[in-house]
Amino acid sequence: MAYQALYRKWRPQTFDDMVGQSAVTHTLKNAISNQKTSHAYLFTGPRGTGKTSAAKVFAKAINCPNQRNGEPCNECEICKGITNGTIGDVIEIDAASNNGVEEIRDIRDKARYAPTQAEYKIYIIDEVHMLSTGAFNALLKTLEEPPQKVIFILATTEPHKIPATIISRTQRFDFRRITSQEIIDRLAYILDQEGIEYEEDALSVVARCANGGMRDALSLLDQMISFGDGKVTFEEAIQVSGSLTDDLMIDFVADLQAQKAEEALESLQQLFKMGKEASRLVEEWLEFARDLLVAKQSGEAVGRSERFLQFKDEVDAAFLYRFVEALNQTQQEMRFTTKPTISLEVLTIKMAQPQTSATPRTIEAPSSEGSGAIATTTRAVTTTNGCIDARRKRSFRTTVLAKTSYKSTKSKLQAECVGREQNFDGSDQRRHRKGARLMGRLAQLLNAATTSADESSTTGCCGAKWVCDAIYV
């Protein structure tokens, strides 16, 4: 017999074989055993979480004459026929290639005929979100009032593309991503049954790369078995999956936190020489930073090394927040560049620089009490890397004496400065004109002072920006 891939060989044949979907399987088993099944179901969730497998198990369980507690026996002719795909009453349709109105009309016409071999006729429509608008409309009436002994099971990874009129006529089940520990336990069980030696750390690498999908995990495991001549080791798992070890990521992050830009750039170049893709590196670092933050709170990390648990106490949480933010920004920039390696090099240099905050410019609004008011502004030049150069700092003070009186002691003036624009809005209409003249004069003085400071700070100032805060009094 020809070799069969692991994900096909170990496809769940009962509800108990399904991993990580206990809520879904428990509900379906009770519905079958109590004979309270619906005429239409909608299975949604990420790829590789068991939607199609659950649909086939459901088709076997509801048609099995020997079913017990909602589970099929897998020994009768009906169960074997559905497993092998030889029962004509269980029809599986790929909506990605059969998405037209004519295909749905054919289903609607054939659904009128009673099942010939099984008790129920089951239609499993995979990737149902690929149907056209006309196809959905053609399916609507049949889905609402199907013939007797006909059940529709719709499976999709993108439920938001399905019309609400379709969703409201079905029972919806959301399949969640499978946790790393559940994937590791399932892979260990399969390897034990196959008689293949393995290392626990290798299974952790597979589970991390699978991203919650059992099919992806089994496909990658199959590839590792072929690469390692029947044995799964940690080194081979890293090489086949293209992942990074904890040691490589810890060394890189430690250099960044210690502001060792040269060493961090050397580590980055080594990763490029190993054939690591820039986009994959960003994903690995994001997951690594996330695991560090979670481990600092809970103290546990599934599938991580002992050095990782030690490093979580050494790294600063504030640095990790900056690192995650910078990675997200770099990931967006890499979508529109032809040289993503440059983006990672810039990220490395930026994260290895010290972080300081600039002195903001403030404006003290004139008080409503008394006859005079003083407006003071201070400006600081900030370079693009966040450092303040003392030689580039320019400050000035502008004093405006306003000799005016206000009748109401409860009202206040509002002074707002955003960038280089000044605006004033008096709240008391009785003194609107006086306030407008006052703040108009203040705006002129500020603009003149800003222009003077610009002229004096242009020399040697690269990438400067003005920092300005608005204070409401």
Side-chain angles (χ1 to χ4, degrees), residues 190-255:
I190 292 175
L191 290 175
D192 290 338
Q193 296 297 317
E194 294 286 336
I196 299 175
E197 298 181 3
Y198 62 91
E199 296 179 2
E200 291 288 345
D201 294 338
L203 300 186
S204 299
V205 174
V206 177
R208 196 160 60 242
C209 295
N211 196 24
M214 183 61 71
R215 183 172 60 241
D216 292 352
L218 290 174
S219 298
L220 184 57
L221 180 64
D222 215 346
Q223 187 177 355
M224 292 178 182
I225 293 174
S226 300
F227 181 83
D229 295 329
K231 185 177 180 180
V232 180
T233 62
F234 175 75
E235 291 77 11
E236 293 171 351
I238 292 293
Q239 187 173 356
V240 172
S241 63
S243 303
L244 298 178
T245 62
D246 284 350
D247 292 337
L248 289 175
M249 289 187 283
I250 289 174
D251 293 339
F252 180 77
V253 175
D255 290 338

Side-chain angles (χ1 to χ4, degrees), residues 61-352:
I62 198 172
N63 286 311
C64 179
N66 304 322
Q67 67 94 6
R68 180 177 298 176
N69 297 327
E71 291 280 14
C73 68
N74 287 317
E75 297 178 357
C76 63
E77 295 298 327
I78 296 294
C79 291
K80 292 181 180 179
I82 295 176
T83 302
N84 299 328
T86 58
I87 297 293
D89 293 328
V90 178
I91 304 98
E92 186 174 0
I93 302 170
D94 179 23
S97 56
N98 300 277
N99 56 1
V101 177
E102 294 300 327
E103 287 82 358
I104 300 301
R105 285 177 179 174
D106 183 64
I107 294 176
R108 183 182 60 186
D109 295 338
K110 292 181 179 179
R112 299 173 182 174
Y113 299 102
T116 56
Q117 296 174 277
E119 183 179 358
Y120 287 87
K121 180 178 287 189
I122 310 295
Y123 284 94
I124 303 174
I125 306 179
D126 201 6
E127 301 298 333
V128 70
H129 66 273
M130 299 293 290
L131 291 179
S132 63
T133 303
F136 274 123
N137 293 333
L139 180 63
L140 191 61
K141 190 61 178 178
T142 303
L143 196 64
E144 182 178 9
E145 298 177 358
Q148 192 176 7
K149 301 295 185 179
V150 175
I151 296 177
F152 287 91
I153 302 179
L154 315 179
T156 179
T157 56
E158 302 181 39
H160 58 278
K161 294 184 178 180
I162 302 178
T165 52
I166 296 292
I167 297 178
S168 63
R169 289 166 170 81
T170 63
Q171 283 191 11
R172 175 172 173 172
F173 290 89
D174 292 325
F175 287 67
R176 65 176 180 87
R177 292 187 184 275
I178 307 173
T179 63
S180 296
Q181 189 59 51
E182 290 172 337
I183 292 178
I184 292 173
D185 294 341
R186 181 64 175 175
L187 295 181
Y189 171 77
I190 292 175
L191 290 175
D192 290 338
Q193 296 297 317
E194 294 286 336
I196 299 175
E197 298 181 3
Y198 62 91
E199 296 179 2
E200 291 288 345
D201 294 338
L203 300 186
S204 299
V205 174
V206 177
R208 196 160 60 242
C209 295
N211 196 24
M214 183 61 71
R215 183 172 60 241
D216 292 352
L218 290 174
S219 298
L220 184 57
L221 180 64
D222 215 346
Q223 187 177 355
M224 292 178 182
I225 293 174
S226 300
F227 181 83
D229 295 329
K231 185 177 180 180
V232 180
T233 62
F234 175 75
E235 291 77 11
E236 293 171 351
I238 292 293
Q239 187 173 356
V240 172
S241 63
S243 303
L244 298 178
T245 62
D246 284 350
D247 292 337
L248 289 175
M249 289 187 283
I250 289 174
D251 293 339
F252 180 77
V253 175
D255 290 338
L256 292 182
Q257 183 175 248
Q259 300 177 9
K260 299 179 180 179
E262 185 176 356
E263 289 81 352
L265 286 174
E266 291 179 359
S267 300
L268 182 62
Q269 293 302 323
Q270 285 297 119
L271 294 176
F272 289 151
K273 291 179 181 179
M274 293 169 59
K276 306 298 183 183
E277 293 291 337
S279 58
R280 183 63 183 275
L281 288 177
V282 174
E283 294 175 358
E284 291 278 347
W285 288 333
L286 277 172
E287 186 174 1
F288 180 75
R290 174 260 179 197
D291 290 346
L292 280 174
L293 290 171
V294 173
K296 289 179 73 69
Q297 297 295 326
S298 62
E300 298 180 357
V302 178
R304 293 295 185 179
S305 62
E306 291 294 332
R307 188 184 175 191
F308 176 90
L309 296 177
Q310 297 175 359
F311 182 69
K312 71 178 177 61
D313 298 326
E314 302 172 4
V315 66
D316 186 29
F319 170 81
L320 293 177
Y321 294 140
R322 288 178 49 221
F323 189 41
V324 170
E325 183 178 357
L327 286 173
N328 287 327
Q329 183 179 358
T330 303
Q331 193 174 40
Q332 295 296 326
E333 295 173 354
M334 288 170 57
R335 297 170 54 191
F336 307 101
T337 181
T338 57
K339 295 183 178 180
T341 56
I342 296 178
S343 300
L344 289 188
E345 291 171 347
V346 173
L347 168 69
T348 302
I349 298 174
K350 179 180 178 181
M351 291 301 302

